[in-house]
């Protein structure tokens, strides 16, 4: 794992005070979801039940409960929790 995905959820939570870091994490999340949707064989989007604001709220909640986990793990958990 590289980039923001290798950083902790705690770092993601603290990024809200620095717009540059916040943009890095959100860009990583958007790229992760785009790649997931591209390679997903069942054709169901990872965010059919949400929008960008919903994804961010879910991530903040998850990371608050799991501050030491890698941000990539938060993204994997998001995708798994939103499957039909």
């Amino acid at each position: 794992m590289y980039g923001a995905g290798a950083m902790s959820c705690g770092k993601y939570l603290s990024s809200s005070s620095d717009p540059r870091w916040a943009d890095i994490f959100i860009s990583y999340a958007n790229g992760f979801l785009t790649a997931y949707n591209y390679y997903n064989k069942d054709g169901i989007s990872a965010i059919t039940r949400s929008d960008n604001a919903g994804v961010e709220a879910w991530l903040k909640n998850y990371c608050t409960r799991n501050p030491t986990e890698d941000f990539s793990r938060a993204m994997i958990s998001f995708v798994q929790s939103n499957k039909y």
Side-chain angles (χ1 to χ4, degrees), residues 30-48:
N30 288 333
F32 185 100
L33 294 172
T34 298
Y36 175 85
N37 289 339
Y38 182 80
Y39 288 105
N40 183 15
K41 301 297 184 208
D42 64 15
I44 298 173
S45 172
I47 58 170
T48 56

Side-chain angles (χ1 to χ4, degrees), residues 1 27-37 72 75-77 79:
M1 200 55 59
S27 292
Y28 177 88
N30 288 333
F32 185 100
L33 294 172
T34 298
Y36 175 85
N37 289 339
S72 62
M75 293 306 305
I76 292 166
S77 293
V79 169

